[in-house]
Amino acid sequence: MFLGMGFWVPVFFSALFLVVGQSIHWRLIPSDSPRILPFCLWSGMSLLFVIVLGTTLNYDLAALAAIVLVQAAFIFWYFFFYTGIARSVSLTLLIELSLGFSENEVRQRYEKSTRFEERIELLANLGWVYREDGFVVLTPKGKQMAKGLKFWSHFLGNGLKG
Amino acid sequence: MIPVFIIVSSLFVALVVLVCLGTAFVGATRLFPMLQKGELLFQCSINVLTPIGWCLWMQDNQFESHPIFVAGLIFLSAGQLFYWDVRSLLSRGYSARILVDLYDAGGQVSSTNLKNHYAGGKGISGLLDKRMSQLRSAMLLKHSSSKLTWFGSGLARLGRTWRRLWAFQEVG
């Protein structure tokens, strides 16, 4: 089942390229967005690298398909890590508790923080809401997104409880 | 030899089967609420059985020694994680819930009211109550105190490291 270096070496370098590239990108230009386009570009470059290498090493079609599948897995994992690490409220609470704050202190800090307003800004940057005279207003795009969220949350689960 | 196209398609079919089974179970829990107690067990079971089913299909076709077998398993595991991530977002998403609150309130609300009435009136304190309760259920936080379990400490350390590595500025 476990193959020789011929398969794993390009996969390893592809993963390294992706992780290092994306990490450097995040650190050089910090941002709040998930940076889907740069990630796809990094993925494309690493995929090109392994395909060229695979073609040079005379991989068959199935082996090349295997490499593409692993790249696709990297993309899924990226979104999983991004949403889990960047956006998770539970992780934020865990981290605050690990720094020695009591539960009450963590709650007070969270409630006084600007995280709610930052989420509104995030929604505004995505074009789903805008601010006007102290009000938050849903755009037509935001309305469609909200309807979709309500539908899918009930279809796949028991509703969006927050 | 099975064409590569069929092998790759079978992976997507496996993921679709996973989603369909999960969705069907959620539907069943609405008709028979007692099934909710077994939901986690059911979902974990189908996450284990789906790749096993695919492995058996591949072994029947004598593909277990080819890179596509291993890659297929990696892809399936990542696909399952993605499905769970989407379900989590659709169940607990913070920003998603804000959007839905706004929609339910007619599309326009003052910032203060939006915050105070988050999640249909529960507010931020309600959000925190729920999260703390879930941390305890997941055995990341001890039940009787504010102390983290060893698992919670490890996860917190990992999360702190990744957030610092990626220099996230605005986080959950």
Side-chain angles (χ1 to χ4, degrees), chain B residues 5 10 12 14 20 27 33-34 39 46 49 58 67 77 92 97 108-109 112 130-131 136 139 148 170:
Chain B
F5 168 73
S10 68
F12 287 96
C20 288
M34 70 196 87
E39 183 173 3
I46 57 170
L49 291 172
M58 283 289 277
S77 72
R92 306 147 48 103
R97 183 66 223 199
Q108 182 172 319
V109 182
T112 314
K130 189 178 172 189
R131 292 289 193 268
R136 289 192 161 94
M139 294 188 285
L148 298 179
E170 295 167 358

Side-chain angles (χ1 to χ4, degrees), chain A residues 27 85 107 110 154 157, chain B residues 30 85 97 129 163-164 172:
Chain A
R27 294 198 69 77
I85 291 167
R107 282 171 184 265
Y110 199 94
H154 282 102
Chain B
R30 289 191 197 124
D85 206 22
R97 183 66 223 199
D129 285 341
R163 283 184 175 179
R164 232 182 271 144

Side-chain angles (χ1 to χ4, degrees), chain A residues 3 23 27 32 83 85-86 90 92 98 103 107 110 119 131 134 136 138 150 153-154 157 160-162, chain B residues 30 66-67 85 90-92 95 97 104 107 109 111 129-131 136 146 160 163-166 170 172:
Chain A
L3 307 155
S23 299
R27 294 198 69 77
D32 200 34
T83 55
I85 291 167
S90 302
T92 298
S98 75
E103 188 175 329
R107 282 171 184 265
Y110 199 94
R119 293 285 176 146
R131 286 187 189 266
V136 182
L138 212 49
K150 285 187 78 155
S153 67
H154 282 102
L160 183 54
K161 306 242 176 355
Chain B
R30 289 191 197 124
H66 195 279
D85 206 22
L90 291 174
S91 161
R92 306 147 48 103
S95 308
R97 183 66 223 199
D104 287 343
V109 182
S111 305
D129 285 341
K130 189 178 172 189
R131 292 289 193 268
R136 289 192 161 94
S146 306
R160 218 164 50 230
R163 283 184 175 179
R164 232 182 271 144
L165 180 70
W166 278 0
E170 295 167 358

Side-chain angles (χ1 to χ4, degrees), chain B residues 31-56:
Chain B
L31 291 172
F32 307 104
M34 70 196 87
L35 289 175
Q36 281 176 8
K37 287 185 183 159
E39 183 173 3
L40 184 63
L41 181 64
F42 180 82
Q43 301 287 0
C44 290
S45 302
I46 57 170
N47 272 275
V48 168
L49 291 172
T50 309
I52 288 175
W54 187 79
C55 286
L56 290 172

